[in-house]
Amino acid sequence: MTRWGILGPGRIAHKFVQDLLTLPDAQLYAVASSDQDRANAFAQQYGATHALGSYNDLLTLPDLDVVYVATPHVLHHENALMLLNKGVAVLGEKPFAMDSAQVNEMIELARTKQVFLMEALWSRFMPVLQRAKALVDDGAIGTVTGVRADFGFAATFQPDGRLYNKQLGGGSLLDIGIYPLFFSYLMLGMPEQITASAVFGETGVDEQCGMVLTYPNGELAVLDSTLRAKTPCEAYVHGTTGSIQIHARWHETKALTLLRDGHEPETIRVDRATHGYDYEAQHVMDCLANGLTESPVWSLADSQNLMTLLDTVRQKIGLTYAV
């Protein structure tokens, strides 16, 4: 039985725990919040053994195996260091931290302490996306020439809310633009050149961001994110003999269609009863059971590379944060 702690009982933590509790070897052991009432309510709703009104109180629980960090972006680095220093395994929500320097510090500490650390890039563990990656690697669409991916929704403007508050790391890029960047990295690796443009709102965060990535062999990734409109949220991988269409919403998809020259379209579905967080949670438990300190599927080097892409896009569009 793996004893889980939750740091930050927000919206995403609710979804994560709902899926976590479908796994027979997972126990919700503790929830910690900066608000005792919120911790109590979360613990009561999901049957957590401990409800803590301080993040630091997690460090007093000797039997804790791993903590899911679901606090605001700007706290990920601080929270991860706190847990790693105590020898507690960490699954940290994306973005892993606010920049590469913070990510590198987290990784260095995890390796020094020999403690498991992984970025919660849940899309990497979705069965349909894994199938898409396998099809590409097997040459099902020939040589890849490019990818396209978008992620957009019409957010309610709340100046102090997580999405729009610059002090909380708000904006489309870090919150949802990370997904198209992840997709391009998954399919094509690191680019040779990045160009990007953004539209900023009144709170100083990017409300729309467009990115074009060029690769050494001439492949092209066209990516975008927006808080201003609902977009198709589809992704495509194009190759010399066909394409793969990953259906909406692609980052949590249940279906793809393989479109090959001279063949009928082939749709592959993997239905599920959960949101999809159970796949990454099970992977973490498997890693811990096997004594691993990082994932062989979404490695710490992968997280470093993804943050490098985010940092580069931020530099291109002129987006800065206080941290």
Side-chain angles (χ1 to χ4, degrees):
M1 186 66 67
T2 302
R3 293 172 292 260
W4 284 82
I6 303 297
L7 190 57
R11 180 182 59 85
I12 196 169
H14 280 269
K15 292 183 176 181
F16 179 85
V17 168
Q18 288 162 14
D19 288 359
L20 182 70
L21 294 179
T22 68
L23 302 175
D25 296 329
Q27 177 188 357
L28 180 57
Y29 191 62
V31 56
S33 172
S34 57
D35 183 314
Q36 183 68 60
D37 290 339
R38 288 188 73 200
N40 290 343
F42 193 95
Q44 183 175 8
Q45 182 174 355
Y46 299 112
T49 307
H50 301 277
L52 310 170
S54 164
Y55 296 163
N56 289 330
D57 287 350
L58 275 176
L59 305 180
T60 67
L61 302 178
D63 297 329
L64 196 60
D65 293 315
V66 57
V67 171
Y68 172 62
V69 175
T71 50
H73 301 341
V74 292
L75 296 178
H76 291 175
H77 167 254
E78 173 188 332
N79 296 154
L81 294 183
M82 175 189 76
L83 293 162
L84 293 170
N85 268 313
K86 190 66 174 180
V88 179
V90 173
L91 173 64
E93 255 308 324
K94 56 83 194 162
F96 216 13
M98 291 299 292
D99 57 32
S100 293
Q102 289 188 347
V103 168
N104 291 341
E105 186 179 1
M106 291 158 56
I107 291 173
E108 182 179 353
L109 180 60
R111 287 175 172 163
T112 298
K113 296 282 189 178
Q114 296 186 312
V115 178
F116 180 86
L117 173 66
M118 191 184 91
E119 182 179 14
L121 214 298
W122 67 316
S123 298
R124 182 63 182 91
F125 302 94
M126 291 290 180
V128 171
L129 283 176
Q130 291 188 335
R131 184 64 182 275
K133 173 63 172 169
L135 287 169
V136 168
D137 291 346
D138 290 343
I141 56 171
T143 301
V144 174
T145 60
V147 304
R148 290 178 180 265
D150 73 286
F151 196 147
F153 64 95
T156 301
F157 180 66
Q158 296 176 319
D160 296 327
R162 178 182 63 84
L163 289 174
Y164 292 96
N165 188 338
K166 201 170 185 182
Q167 301 304 313
L168 296 179
S172 81
L173 176 63
L174 292 188
D175 201 72
I176 55 177
I178 187 174
Y179 286 110
L181 275 174
F182 151 74
F183 186 71
S184 67
Y185 174 71
L186 178 66
M187 296 301 173
L188 291 171
M190 294 296 280
E192 190 172 65
Q193 180 182 349
I194 297 177
T195 59
S197 182
V199 177
F200 291 86
E202 62 183 76
T203 61
V205 302
D206 70 293
E207 295 185 359
Q208 300 198 90
C209 185
M211 299 157 276
V212 178
L213 284 60
T214 308
Y215 296 83
N217 294 320
E219 306 96 327
L220 205 65
V222 180
L223 319 169
D224 65 271
S225 60
T226 180
L227 301 176
R228 293 187 172 187
K230 182 180 179 181
T231 64
C233 291
E234 292 185 329
Y236 294 83
V237 188
H238 299 300
T240 53
T241 62
S243 297
I244 297 172
Q245 176 187 8
I246 303 176
H247 298 288
R249 294 190 315 163
W250 71 263
H251 71 292
E252 57 177 348
T253 188
K254 298 178 182 178
L256 66 78
T257 297
L258 178 60
L259 305 163
R260 293 182 293 171
D261 298 347
H263 295 77
E264 289 295 315
E266 178 186 351
T267 297
I268 298 168
R269 293 191 59 86
V270 180
D271 289 319
R272 62 176 189 268
T274 65
H275 303 291
Y277 294 97
D278 48 314
Y279 299 116
E280 69 175 359
Q282 184 63 62
H283 179 73
V284 169
M285 293 194 297
D286 292 343
C287 287
L288 293 175
N290 286 293
L292 302 181
T293 55
E294 68 175 282
S295 166
V297 176
W298 185 248
S299 70
L300 296 176
D302 290 328
S303 291
Q304 285 176 308
N305 287 338
L306 184 56
M307 185 53 68
T308 296
L309 294 176
L310 288 166
D311 283 354
T312 303
V313 172
R314 281 179 51 194
Q315 186 272 325
K316 296 289 185 179
I317 66 177
L319 175 61
T320 60
Y321 293 98
V323 292

